[in-house]
Amino acid sequence: MRPFGMAGRLCYHLQVMGKPRKGDIHGAAAPAKAPGRGPGKDVFLYLPAKVVEGVIGSLAIMVLMRLFDPEVYGRYGIINTTVNVSNVVLLGWLIQSAHRYAVKFRSGRGKRAFCATIAAGWAAVNVPVIAVAAVSAPMVLSGGGPQGLATLLAAVWMFVAY
């Protein structure tokens, strides 16, 4: 079973990675860099991946615009933008710190404490978001009907599962 949410995915990958590899913080000395390997080469490896991501995103937008009514697609756009911005504001610090220290706590005694800390931070943000959604659900249902409630549930699901 795949882990749920950012904290679960990170801890899952830490467990899958297993033992530190040669050159890691806990491993032996880092091997010498290959000649010609530098930031320029990394940029040219990263660039095609971002181009492919952009092309797929553009194709997805064109398909969604043709499949759904403008009202439904507009609602999707509002939900998507709101969830992405709130995720960056509320969880960006946790994601960045998790990536920063993931290698340091990949193995040893600190891995369990690291995963617990990340999971606690994730829960500290997501539990209030779910609580606010639960409190506002009756208001959304009375004002927007089942469509409004479905929109609220979709937004909460997207935020929590991000």
Side-chain angles (χ1 to χ4, degrees), residues 38-148:
K41 188 172 183 181
D42 290 338
V43 167
F44 287 114
L45 292 174
Y46 182 71
L47 184 64
K50 296 310 282 180
V51 168
V52 168
E53 179 183 343
V55 168
I56 290 173
S58 298
L59 291 174
I61 288 172
M62 288 189 289
V63 168
L64 289 173
M65 287 179 70
R66 284 175 175 73
L67 285 177
F68 299 113
D69 294 334
E71 179 184 342
V72 173
Y73 183 74
R75 185 175 295 130
Y76 165 77
I78 290 172
I79 292 172
N80 199 15
T81 303
T82 304
V83 167
N84 284 327
V85 169
S86 62
N87 196 297
V88 166
V89 170
L90 296 174
L91 285 173
W93 60 273
L94 182 63
I95 294 168
Q96 294 301 320
S97 63
H99 285 286
R100 164 77 170 83
Y101 293 106
V103 173
K104 183 176 180 181
F105 294 105
R106 185 183 312 185
S107 64
R109 296 185 320 247
K111 181 167 74 171
R112 178 161 283 165
F114 175 73
C115 288
T117 303
I118 296 298
W122 183 82
V125 171
N126 281 293
V127 168
V129 166
I130 293 170
V132 167
V135 168
S136 64
M139 292 180 287
V140 170
L141 187 58
S142 66
Q147 285 272 341

